Amino acid sequence: MYTCKHFAIHELVPPNVYKDRGEKAWQLLDDRLLMTLDKLRERYGKMTVNNYHWGGDREWSGLRTSDSPYYSPCSQHSFGRAADCLFGAASVEAVRQEILANPDDPDFAMIGSLELGVSWLHFDVRNCDRIMTYRP
Ligand SMILES: [Zn+2]
């Protein structure tokens, strides 16, 4: 089983799931998502997905369950295959463009899709002709 080197499980699942499952919640997330999160963290530095554990307002940026106001049954977030990331130092748009320009870079090889035109980096590991892009 893969668990992230640079993220705790509460950064990737909402509070209800963390409370119910604790460390077992790793099983709900696609290992390709987890490996890519670590690769992006090592490449670009500090990243935020969920931050509720430290009093922040982000709790639906990784796994999304049906009690989320943002829930959609076919969203990649609902399958544990997507993350919405903010960066401490790097620019989201610069990261997005670097990924799109270098889809075969080993750090990006498991990314299926990116969302365009948003102020966070949404990436997911869906089954598709990569790298697929879409707008909200
Ligand atoms: Zn997203």
Side-chain angles (χ1 to χ4, degrees):
M1 183 174 78
Y2 189 88
T3 58
C4 285
K5 293 181 202 70
H6 300 291
F7 298 87
I9 188 58
H10 55 72
E11 295 179 81
L12 305 177
V13 300
N16 60 342
V17 172
Y18 180 58
K19 191 167 153 250
D20 290 349
R21 303 222 169 195
E23 294 296 313
K24 285 187 179 166
W26 286 112
Q27 298 172 9
L28 305 175
L29 299 163
D30 193 301
D31 57 353
R32 297 167 300 172
L33 180 81
L34 303 177
M35 291 177 213
T36 303
L37 281 166
D38 275 341
K39 288 171 189 289
L40 294 177
R41 173 66 180 75
E42 286 168 12
R43 186 169 180 134
Y44 296 111
K46 186 178 177 338
M47 288 168 66
T48 301
V49 186
N50 290 331
N51 58 9
Y52 63 85
H53 193 73
W54 300 290
D57 60 358
R58 294 167 64 86
E59 56 185 59
W60 300 112
S61 297
L63 182 71
R64 264 177 221 158
T65 45
S66 59
D67 50 335
S68 168
Y70 309 111
Y71 180 73
S72 168
C74 293
S75 166
Q76 293 295 306
H77 287 278
S78 306
F79 301 105
R81 293 196 293 253
D84 294 338
C85 309
L86 302 175
F87 294 86
S91 138
V92 165
E93 193 54 35
V95 171
R96 189 157 36 224
Q97 293 308 320
E98 187 167 352
I99 295 169
L100 288 171
N102 302 282
D104 298 325
D105 186 298
D107 289 350
F108 309 144
M110 290 180 276
I111 295 176
S113 176
L114 295 180
E115 186 173 5
L116 303 179
V118 290
S119 61
W120 57 90
L121 181 79
H122 165 108
F123 78 92
D124 61 62
V125 295
R126 75 179 72 192
N127 179 26
C128 64
D129 293 326
R130 56 185 301 277
I131 289 178
M132 189 190 119
T133 59
Y134 69 99
R135 291 185 179 272

